[in-house]
Amino acid sequence: MNDNHLKERENILSEANKARWDLGIDLHDTVIESIYEDASRIARKTVKQKGEKAAYALDLRIDKIVTSRWLGFPIMFLLLALVFWLTVTGANYPSGLLASFLIDYMHPILKGAAASIHMPWWLDGVLIDGAYLAMAWVIAVMLPPMAIFFPLFTLLEDLGYLPRVAFNMDSLFRKAGAHGKQALTMSMGFGCNAAGVIAARVIDSPRERLIAIITNNFSLCNGRWPTQILIASIFIGGLVPAQLASVVSAGAVVGIAVLGIFFSLVVSWGLSKSVLRGEASAFSLELPPYRPPRIWQTLYTSLIDRTIIVLWRAVIFAVPAGIVIWLVANVHIGELSLAEYFIQWSNPFAFVFGLNGVILLAYIIAIPANEIVIPTILMLTVLITGASGVGAGTGVIFELNSVGDTANILHAGGWTLLTGLNLMLFSLLHNPCSTTIYTIFKETRSVKWTVVSTFLPIVLGFMVCFFTTQIWYLFFV
Amino acid sequence: MSNSNNCDNCPVHNKENLIKLGLNMEQVDYVITMAGNPNTGKSTVFNNLTGLHQHTGNWPGKTVSRAEGGFIYNEKRYKVVDLPGTYSLLSTSTDEEVARNFILFGQPDVTVIVVDATRLERNLNLALQILEITDRAVLCLNLMDEAKRNNIEIDERALSKELGIPVIPASARRKEGMKELLAAIEEVAAGKYVCKPHKIKSRSIKLNNAISSLASKLAEQFPNLPNLNWVALRLLEGDNSIIEAVQSGELGSINAGDSTVQL
């Protein structure tokens, strides 16, 4: 019975094969042509163009400028820099406000309440000094920059600027042996790498898709922008007079983002010349018309969709991470806590790369979400520097309400400009967050490529930090 | 006939009866799907109908997998599936396959074809391909605000006659035309409006003969498939994914795509 069906189906296929020969090799083309013919006939009957296409002429003029050979890239960098500058200058004050409310005001109240119901010290520590403080930190550090950055980025997106970026980048990606659409997935990655990895589905060829997936991590994502912006304001902005600080820090962040694009191109080139050899395939990219963005709608959706969702994710990961931080800081073996053991043990290794044990431990604890790297670093630094004026108690942070105080903690932890710079580099070049790793596995269905995507950036990150540090020592020490 | 009666009978009046259900899609009466070229506003229409906030952006290729949502309209429950935008249903990139498989094998009750009114001719290429596969569709002539800005005039009645399906002008970003779109969707879903979809005219007799001969054979093997002519054409063209589906017998029971991705 089943065999009969199978035979019948084979018969159908062989009849199709035979007919295909009879119909000639250009069948596919004639089928498409007949569709185009009908479409054009219907359009001629129903569409009337009255007078000038005023808006297109304007679109064309704008496109000539923003995609021009000489002005395309400078305009792109300037726009990016403007977005970061607005973010850096705008986020500082609300950050301080949130920190003073959640940390200076709410934390003592919670501690008092815990004491009044005689909560055991370890439960109070895990819940309030661990989970609550980590969450408070994530909100204070992350929310203001996100609430400014996302709407601005979404406005650029609604306007139709992203396809122009892709258009500008296309020839670079093709020269690197990758697909031009990788410029689009890269832009998506600037929002979220997991989204960028999924977006790589628009690329047909498996080879080029894999390259786009592996290199997507070189796009700084949501979780890493605030780290970049904060560290740049403290260590790079701190180098210049106050009036220039925000411009210079914004420039530094753009520099890191551009370095990410550079690595994306170099790694794509390397892959397409070695393990993923092949030619770049052609594609057509439509430049959509510029559309005036709906300002309020954009504000609403980017606040709800991106900011709140990303923040929520950060909070969900911060709570367990806060508990872990408190535990590693308070579980002692002999004289030292677990965290101190790890930090002292890994410091000599980390110093070679211009980093420190705190940063390494923070990146291990923060694998689930890049968003909590900075809060973790701060809590761990306070812990190992002891109660040096800013912190009180183990793994607890008090009275920290501005970028200046964050800077004080980091300086107390022995941070220099070199540490800051290397942290910015390492934040660009390290493993993707666990969500992205899982997404890469789901999309590629390959353990091998998931492992490559995970470890390639770490290796690169250590190499880059190592060379930066050695060159630094050569010239400045 | 009194005035109030007129109102009650007028389909537009009832359009206030839209209840957005978001992700709640249990026990649906009808499944509808949004298809169209990239960057024509499918996701914006989808959001208007379901009350969801599927991310929209002015660039092609933003939706790569299916998004689903629901609404209640005139006491009927609808499930809406937002498909990735594609230029055709003929090639085989992942996003085009998601769209094609769903329209072909998911057998939605209504396919809403969202087109860009300022680029109608190019958009019609896909619309005509969709009408080859399904015979229950509504054309949403979106971005009418931009068309007006560009002094483009479209004869909607003539277009509707040519295509054999309802044509609804809309500006989804301004939420204009949504009530009329809902009314048209309901009419087609309930079978009150019987579509006579345009079939490609300029094909050779030889090709048409080959198609009908194959289609009748396919009908014996896959009695539940509604669009055998199209499957036959794909076989003649040597479409590998369709050939494999016939060979393995999966064509009849093919999954309408498992690419719903939750971020």
Side-chain angles (χ1 to χ4, degrees), chain A residues 84-130:
Chain A
F84 296 135
W85 179 76
L86 287 171
T87 310
V88 171
T89 39
N92 200 359
Y93 179 71
S95 260
L97 224 58
L98 279 171
S100 69
F101 173 74
L102 291 172
I103 297 165
D104 298 348
Y105 179 73
M106 283 303 288
H107 184 256
I109 291 181
L110 288 174
K111 289 294 267 188
S116 72
I117 58 165
H118 304 293
M119 197 183 263
W121 70 272
W122 53 270
L123 188 60
D124 162 279
V126 163
L127 289 183
I128 300 173
D129 297 335

Side-chain angles (χ1 to χ4, degrees), chain A residues 15 20 28 45 48 286, chain B residues 87 162 213 217 236-237:
Chain A
E15 183 185 329
R20 195 176 310 136
H28 184 70
K45 269 194 200 169
K48 236 187 273 167
E286 193 174 1
Chain B
Y87 292 105
E162 285 287 336
S213 154
K217 294 225 169 78
L236 287 173
E237 281 194 57

Side-chain angles (χ1 to χ4, degrees), chain B:
Chain B
M1 213 196 285
S2 77
N3 265 339
S4 65
N5 232 340
N6 269 348
C7 272
D8 286 343
N9 293 332
C10 164
V12 175
H13 168 79
N14 294 323
K15 300 337 154 221
E16 308 303 333
N17 298 341
L18 173 68
I19 302 167
K20 297 169 180 178
L21 288 178
L23 286 170
N24 177 3
M25 295 166 290
E26 275 153 28
Q27 297 173 324
V28 291
D29 298 301
Y30 300 117
V31 176
I32 68 176
T33 180
M34 325 283 310
N37 282 34
N39 213 34
T40 52
K42 288 176 296 302
S43 298
T44 312
V45 176
F46 174 85
N47 287 348
N48 282 349
L49 296 183
T50 59
L52 287 172
H53 300 284
Q54 170 82 343
H55 179 60
T56 59
N58 184 12
W59 57 301
K62 173 194 53 60
T63 311
V64 279
S65 52
R66 284 159 41 189
E68 303 187 350
F71 65 88
I72 294 181
Y73 175 70
N74 276 351
E75 288 157 19
K76 294 280 190 225
R77 302 177 77 93
Y78 291 79
K79 174 168 134 179
V80 198
V81 180
D82 187 17
L83 295 176
T86 57
Y87 292 105
S88 87
L89 299 176
L90 301 174
S91 102
T92 46
S93 70
T94 318
D95 43 348
E96 290 189 0
E97 224 168 72
V98 170
R100 185 182 77 183
N101 284 353
F102 191 81
I103 302 172
L104 186 56
F105 306 116
Q107 296 184 22
D109 293 296
V110 184
T111 301
V112 179
I113 309 169
V114 183
V115 298
D116 178 348
T118 65
R119 290 157 164 73
L120 185 62
E121 179 174 342
R122 186 141 46 96
N123 280 231
L124 279 178
N125 290 324
L126 177 71
L128 291 177
Q129 291 176 40
I130 293 174
L131 292 182
E132 293 271 294
I133 302 184
T134 177
D135 43 14
R136 282 194 289 182
V138 172
L139 191 86
C140 174
L141 199 52
N142 197 20
L143 300 168
M144 282 304 285
D145 45 345
E146 270 183 43
K148 273 190 198 111
R149 202 156 58 91
N150 289 298
N151 296 318
I152 295 171
E153 230 173 48
I154 296 174
D155 185 345
E156 300 131 30
R157 282 163 162 256
L159 186 59
S160 169
K161 232 169 110 188
E162 285 287 336
L163 296 176
I165 57 172
V167 170
I168 310 296
S171 302
R173 294 207 309 164
R174 298 167 196 274
K175 299 193 164 60
E176 287 167 15
M178 293 300 110
K179 292 175 183 175
E180 293 80 359
L181 180 63
L182 279 166
I185 291 171
E186 185 193 36
E187 285 193 345
V188 173
K192 282 186 236 159
Y193 183 114
V194 180
C195 299
K196 298 186 189 69
H198 175 98
K199 295 293 171 203
I200 300 297
K201 298 201 169 68
S202 33
R203 268 185 199 145
S204 70
I205 300 167
K206 206 168 153 192
L207 177 56
N208 278 333
N209 285 343
I211 290 176
S212 53
S213 154
L214 268 183
S216 63
K217 294 225 169 78
L218 283 166
E220 288 167 25
Q221 288 299 309
F222 307 101
N224 298 324
L225 270 191
N227 20 47
L228 294 165
N229 281 343
W230 191 81
V231 173
L233 179 61
R234 301 308 302 151
L235 285 181
L236 287 173
E237 281 194 57
D239 183 322
N240 277 328
S241 62
I242 298 285
I243 290 177
E244 274 163 29
V246 170
Q247 208 154 29
S248 61
E250 275 168 11
L251 189 65
S253 58
I254 209 163
N255 192 323
D258 56 352
S259 13
T260 317
V261 175
Q262 287 291 320
L263 264 185

Side-chain angles (χ1 to χ4, degrees), chain A residues 311-373:
Chain A
L311 186 72
W312 179 236
R313 199 176 88 94
V315 167
I316 287 175
F317 284 115
V319 167
I323 294 172
V324 170
I325 295 169
W326 190 87
L327 287 176
V328 295
N330 285 278
V331 174
H332 286 74
I333 300 176
E335 287 287 292
L336 296 173
S337 66
L338 289 177
E340 282 165 309
Y341 265 114
F342 180 85
I343 290 165
Q344 289 189 1
W345 168 79
S346 64
N347 259 338
F349 169 76
F351 286 146
V352 176
F353 301 98
L355 300 165
N356 58 40
V358 171
I359 297 177
L360 294 188
L361 182 55
Y363 269 99
I364 293 172
I365 294 178
I367 284 177
N370 281 298
E371 288 86 339
I372 57 175
V373 164

